[in-house]
PDB file of all heavy atoms in Angstrom:
ATOM      1  N   LEU B 109      77.809-124.898 -57.954  1.00  0.00           N
ATOM      2  CA  LEU B 109      76.381-124.837 -58.273  1.00  0.00           C
ATOM      3  C   LEU B 109      75.542-124.957 -57.007  1.00  0.00           C
ATOM      4  O   LEU B 109      74.543-124.257 -56.835  1.00  0.00           O
ATOM      5  CB  LEU B 109      76.007-125.944 -59.261  1.00  0.00           C
ATOM      6  CG  LEU B 109      76.465-125.738 -60.697  1.00  0.00           C
ATOM      7  CD1 LEU B 109      76.254-126.997 -61.521  1.00  0.00           C
ATOM      8  CD2 LEU B 109      75.721-124.573 -61.330  1.00  0.00           C
ATOM      9  N   LEU B 110      75.971-125.848 -56.101  1.00  0.00           N
ATOM     10  CA  LEU B 110      75.222-126.038 -54.863  1.00  0.00           C
ATOM     11  C   LEU B 110      75.329-124.805 -53.955  1.00  0.00           C
ATOM     12  O   LEU B 110      74.402-124.499 -53.206  1.00  0.00           O
ATOM     13  CB  LEU B 110      75.706-127.281 -54.123  1.00  0.00           C
ATOM     14  CG  LEU B 110      75.293-128.594 -54.780  1.00  0.00           C
ATOM     15  CD1 LEU B 110      75.874-129.766 -54.025  1.00  0.00           C
ATOM     16  CD2 LEU B 110      73.778-128.713 -54.827  1.00  0.00           C
ATOM     17  N   VAL B 111      76.467-124.126 -54.005  1.00  0.00           N
ATOM     18  CA  VAL B 111      76.598-122.875 -53.240  1.00  0.00           C
ATOM     19  C   VAL B 111      75.531-121.892 -53.713  1.00  0.00           C
ATOM     20  O   VAL B 111      74.852-121.255 -52.909  1.00  0.00           O
ATOM     21  CB  VAL B 111      78.016-122.272 -53.403  1.00  0.00           C
ATOM     22  CG1 VAL B 111      78.048-120.847 -52.872  1.00  0.00           C
ATOM     23  CG2 VAL B 111      79.033-123.124 -52.676  1.00  0.00           C
ATOM     24  N   ILE B 112      75.370-121.809 -55.038  1.00  0.00           N
ATOM     25  CA  ILE B 112      74.341-120.919 -55.589  1.00  0.00           C
ATOM     26  C   ILE B 112      72.957-121.365 -55.112  1.00  0.00           C
ATOM     27  O   ILE B 112      72.122-120.566 -54.689  1.00  0.00           O
ATOM     28  CB  ILE B 112      74.415-120.918 -57.134  1.00  0.00           C
ATOM     29  CG1 ILE B 112      75.758-120.337 -57.564  1.00  0.00           C
ATOM     30  CG2 ILE B 112      73.254-120.140 -57.731  1.00  0.00           C
ATOM     31  CD1 ILE B 112      76.058-120.509 -59.029  1.00  0.00           C
ATOM     32  N   TYR B 113      72.737-122.675 -55.143  1.00  0.00           N
ATOM     33  CA  TYR B 113      71.458-123.261 -54.695  1.00  0.00           C
ATOM     34  C   TYR B 113      71.162-122.848 -53.256  1.00  0.00           C
ATOM     35  O   TYR B 113      70.086-122.322 -52.944  1.00  0.00           O
ATOM     36  CB  TYR B 113      71.566-124.774 -54.833  1.00  0.00           C
ATOM     37  CG  TYR B 113      70.409-125.572 -54.285  1.00  0.00           C
ATOM     38  CD1 TYR B 113      69.220-125.649 -54.972  1.00  0.00           C
ATOM     39  CD2 TYR B 113      70.536-126.264 -53.090  1.00  0.00           C
ATOM     40  CE1 TYR B 113      68.161-126.403 -54.497  1.00  0.00           C
ATOM     41  CE2 TYR B 113      69.490-127.021 -52.596  1.00  0.00           C
ATOM     42  CZ  TYR B 113      68.305-127.088 -53.302  1.00  0.00           C
ATOM     43  OH  TYR B 113      67.270-127.833 -52.818  1.00  0.00           O
ATOM     44  N   GLU B 114      72.146-123.074 -52.376  1.00  0.00           N
ATOM     45  CA  GLU B 114      71.956-122.738 -50.966  1.00  0.00           C
ATOM     46  C   GLU B 114      71.746-121.242 -50.794  1.00  0.00           C
ATOM     47  O   GLU B 114      70.960-120.800 -49.960  1.00  0.00           O
ATOM     48  CB  GLU B 114      73.183-123.162 -50.138  1.00  0.00           C
ATOM     49  CG  GLU B 114      73.401-124.649 -50.055  1.00  0.00           C
ATOM     50  CD  GLU B 114      72.362-125.339 -49.188  1.00  0.00           C
ATOM     51  OE1 GLU B 114      71.668-124.649 -48.426  1.00  0.00           O
ATOM     52  OE2 GLU B 114      72.254-126.573 -49.283  1.00  0.00           O
ATOM     53  N   PHE B 115      72.462-120.467 -51.607  1.00  0.00           N
ATOM     54  CA  PHE B 115      72.330-119.020 -51.475  1.00  0.00           C
ATOM     55  C   PHE B 115      70.918-118.564 -51.827  1.00  0.00           C
ATOM     56  O   PHE B 115      70.339-117.740 -51.126  1.00  0.00           O
ATOM     57  CB  PHE B 115      73.346-118.293 -52.348  1.00  0.00           C
ATOM     58  CG  PHE B 115      73.185-116.812 -52.281  1.00  0.00           C
ATOM     59  CD1 PHE B 115      73.641-116.111 -51.175  1.00  0.00           C
ATOM     60  CD2 PHE B 115      72.529-116.127 -53.286  1.00  0.00           C
ATOM     61  CE1 PHE B 115      73.454-114.743 -51.081  1.00  0.00           C
ATOM     62  CE2 PHE B 115      72.338-114.762 -53.202  1.00  0.00           C
ATOM     63  CZ  PHE B 115      72.809-114.063 -52.093  1.00  0.00           C
ATOM     64  N   VAL B 116      70.364-119.124 -52.888  1.00  0.00           N
ATOM     65  CA  VAL B 116      68.996-118.738 -53.275  1.00  0.00           C
ATOM     66  C   VAL B 116      68.017-119.085 -52.155  1.00  0.00           C
ATOM     67  O   VAL B 116      67.176-118.273 -51.761  1.00  0.00           O
ATOM     68  CB  VAL B 116      68.574-119.416 -54.601  1.00  0.00           C
ATOM     69  CG1 VAL B 116      67.118-119.137 -54.909  1.00  0.00           C
ATOM     70  CG2 VAL B 116      69.452-118.931 -55.734  1.00  0.00           C
ATOM     71  N   LEU B 117      68.161-120.313 -51.604  1.00  0.00           N
ATOM     72  CA  LEU B 117      67.280-120.723 -50.510  1.00  0.00           C
ATOM     73  C   LEU B 117      67.411-119.760 -49.330  1.00  0.00           C
ATOM     74  O   LEU B 117      66.428-119.317 -48.741  1.00  0.00           O
ATOM     75  CB  LEU B 117      67.622-122.143 -50.046  1.00  0.00           C
ATOM     76  CG  LEU B 117      67.339-123.270 -51.026  1.00  0.00           C
ATOM     77  CD1 LEU B 117      67.690-124.599 -50.386  1.00  0.00           C
ATOM     78  CD2 LEU B 117      65.879-123.254 -51.434  1.00  0.00           C
ATOM     79  N   PHE B 118      68.662-119.462 -49.003  1.00  0.00           N
ATOM     80  CA  PHE B 118      68.955-118.597 -47.856  1.00  0.00           C
ATOM     81  C   PHE B 118      68.390-117.194 -48.085  1.00  0.00           C
ATOM     82  O   PHE B 118      67.794-116.591 -47.204  1.00  0.00           O
ATOM     83  CB  PHE B 118      70.471-118.547 -47.674  1.00  0.00           C
ATOM     84  CG  PHE B 118      70.921-117.632 -46.588  1.00  0.00           C
ATOM     85  CD1 PHE B 118      70.668-117.943 -45.269  1.00  0.00           C
ATOM     86  CD2 PHE B 118      71.597-116.460 -46.898  1.00  0.00           C
ATOM     87  CE1 PHE B 118      71.076-117.097 -44.252  1.00  0.00           C
ATOM     88  CE2 PHE B 118      72.001-115.611 -45.883  1.00  0.00           C
ATOM     89  CZ  PHE B 118      71.740-115.939 -44.562  1.00  0.00           C
ATOM     90  N   TRP B 119      68.541-116.726 -49.308  1.00  0.00           N
ATOM     91  CA  TRP B 119      68.079-115.388 -49.647  1.00  0.00           C
ATOM     92  C   TRP B 119      66.554-115.301 -49.531  1.00  0.00           C
ATOM     93  O   TRP B 119      66.017-114.346 -48.955  1.00  0.00           O
ATOM     94  CB  TRP B 119      68.544-115.078 -51.075  1.00  0.00           C
ATOM     95  CG  TRP B 119      68.017-113.809 -51.641  1.00  0.00           C
ATOM     96  CD1 TRP B 119      68.376-112.544 -51.295  1.00  0.00           C
ATOM     97  CD2 TRP B 119      67.028-113.685 -52.671  1.00  0.00           C
ATOM     98  NE1 TRP B 119      67.675-111.642 -52.042  1.00  0.00           N
ATOM     99  CE2 TRP B 119      66.845-112.309 -52.892  1.00  0.00           C
ATOM    100  CE3 TRP B 119      66.288-114.601 -53.432  1.00  0.00           C
ATOM    101  CZ2 TRP B 119      65.947-111.835 -53.835  1.00  0.00           C
ATOM    102  CZ3 TRP B 119      65.403-114.116 -54.365  1.00  0.00           C
ATOM    103  CH2 TRP B 119      65.235-112.771 -54.552  1.00  0.00           C
ATOM    104  N   VAL B 120      65.873-116.337 -50.038  1.00  0.00           N
ATOM    105  CA  VAL B 120      64.407-116.329 -49.950  1.00  0.00           C
ATOM    106  C   VAL B 120      63.960-116.365 -48.493  1.00  0.00           C
ATOM    107  O   VAL B 120      63.051-115.641 -48.084  1.00  0.00           O
ATOM    108  CB  VAL B 120      63.805-117.523 -50.733  1.00  0.00           C
ATOM    109  CG1 VAL B 120      62.321-117.651 -50.457  1.00  0.00           C
ATOM    110  CG2 VAL B 120      64.052-117.345 -52.214  1.00  0.00           C
ATOM    111  N   ASP B 121      64.636-117.190 -47.691  1.00  0.00           N
ATOM    112  CA  ASP B 121      64.321-117.246 -46.257  1.00  0.00           C
ATOM    113  C   ASP B 121      64.475-115.873 -45.629  1.00  0.00           C
ATOM    114  O   ASP B 121      63.658-115.439 -44.819  1.00  0.00           O
ATOM    115  CB  ASP B 121      65.250-118.238 -45.543  1.00  0.00           C
ATOM    116  CG  ASP B 121      64.669-119.638 -45.539  1.00  0.00           C
ATOM    117  OD1 ASP B 121      63.434-119.743 -45.646  1.00  0.00           O
ATOM    118  OD2 ASP B 121      65.442-120.599 -45.436  1.00  0.00           O
TER     119      ASP B 121
END
Side-chain angles (χ1 to χ4, degrees):
Chain B
L109 286 170
L110 287 177
V111 168
I112 296 169
Y113 174 76
E114 294 288 345
F115 177 77
V116 174
L117 292 182
F118 177 69
W119 173 72
V120 171
D121 270 336

